[in-house]
Amino acid sequence: FAMTPRGAVPVVRWYSEYFSASGYTPERRCQIVAGRFSNLHSQGLLSSITTGYLNGEPVVCASRSGGCNSSNLLFTLKSGVDAAAAVQQLFDLQRGAASGPLYESSGDDGVNIDFNNFLSNADVDPSGPSSGGSEGTNVTPSEPSEPSGGGGGIW
C-alpha cells in the first residue's frame, strides 16, 4: 500500500510462494520491496516505473536513463515471465483502475508506468492500513517525502 492523501492505495499484492525456497516469503518480499519503494520515493526517483532485465531475470524498477540496475530495482519477477503482462496484472491496469498511465515503449525499455498518475487515480482500499498509523505517512504523488522510522515510509 502507498499512503496518499486520499487513503491507502494498493500497489502490489504478494501471493506467490515462488521465491519462498530462497527465504523470500511473500511477507518478507513485501517488507524488502516496500523499503525499496520508500527509498526511491524519498530520493524523488519513483515518478515512473519500468520493466527490464537484470542478471538475466525480468525485473520491475524505477525508470531512469541507463535502464534497470541494482540502484533502481524494485523487485524481480519469476524467470520466463512476460514482464509487461506481469506489471499490468500487478498494478491492476487491466481492470481500469489507472487507465492511461501504461504505454509500450518502442525500445528495450519494456513497459513504462506513470506512477504518479497511478497513485492519483487508482482506487483507495478502505480495508488498507489507516493513514494515521505508524506504518505509513501521507504523501502527495510527485513530491518526495522523508521515510519514517521503522523502514515503513509511505509503503
Side-chain angles (χ1 to χ4, degrees), residues 12-82:
V12 179
R13 297 199 189 265
W14 300 97
Y15 297 110
S16 175
E17 296 284 343
Y18 181 80
F19 294 97
S20 292
S22 301
Y24 295 100
T25 63
E27 181 179 357
R28 179 154 162 71
R29 286 192 81 207
C30 180
Q31 293 166 346
I32 291 168
V33 173
R36 291 175 183 168
F37 269 89
S38 185
N39 182 44
L40 288 164
H41 182 269
S42 70
Q43 295 176 48
L45 300 174
L46 198 55
S47 62
S48 182
I49 293 177
T50 192
T51 59
Y53 287 87
L54 185 60
N55 300 323
E57 299 293 330
V59 295
V60 176
C61 54
S63 291
R64 65 191 319 178
S65 60
C68 293
N69 57 57
S70 60
S71 68
N72 67 341
L73 173 69
L74 291 169
F75 54 93
T76 303
L77 299 166
K78 297 176 191 177
S79 292
V81 164
D82 177 344

Side-chain angles (χ1 to χ4, degrees), residues 136-155:
T137 304
N138 283 344
V139 64
T140 302
S142 80
E143 293 181 14
S145 66
E146 294 298 319
S148 65
I154 66 163
W155 310 99

Side-chain angles (χ1 to χ4, degrees), residues 16 85 98-99 127 129 135:
S16 175
S99 59
S127 66
E135 293 300 314

Side-chain angles (χ1 to χ4, degrees), residues 53-137:
Y53 287 87
L54 185 60
N55 300 323
E57 299 293 330
V59 295
V60 176
C61 54
S63 291
R64 65 191 319 178
S65 60
C68 293
N69 57 57
S70 60
S71 68
N72 67 341
L73 173 69
L74 291 169
F75 54 93
T76 303
L77 299 166
K78 297 176 191 177
S79 292
V81 164
D82 177 344
V87 166
Q88 287 177 322
Q89 184 177 22
L90 287 170
F91 291 102
D92 288 332
L93 296 174
Q94 292 175 346
R95 72 175 178 85
S99 59
L102 181 70
Y103 66 92
E104 298 284 344
S105 69
S106 58
D108 293 330
D109 295 335
V111 169
N112 287 295
I113 297 170
D114 180 333
F115 197 59
N116 289 327
N117 189 18
F118 173 81
L119 290 177
S120 295
N121 295 301
D123 293 336
V124 171
D125 187 340
S127 66
S130 70
S131 59
S134 61
E135 293 300 314
T137 304

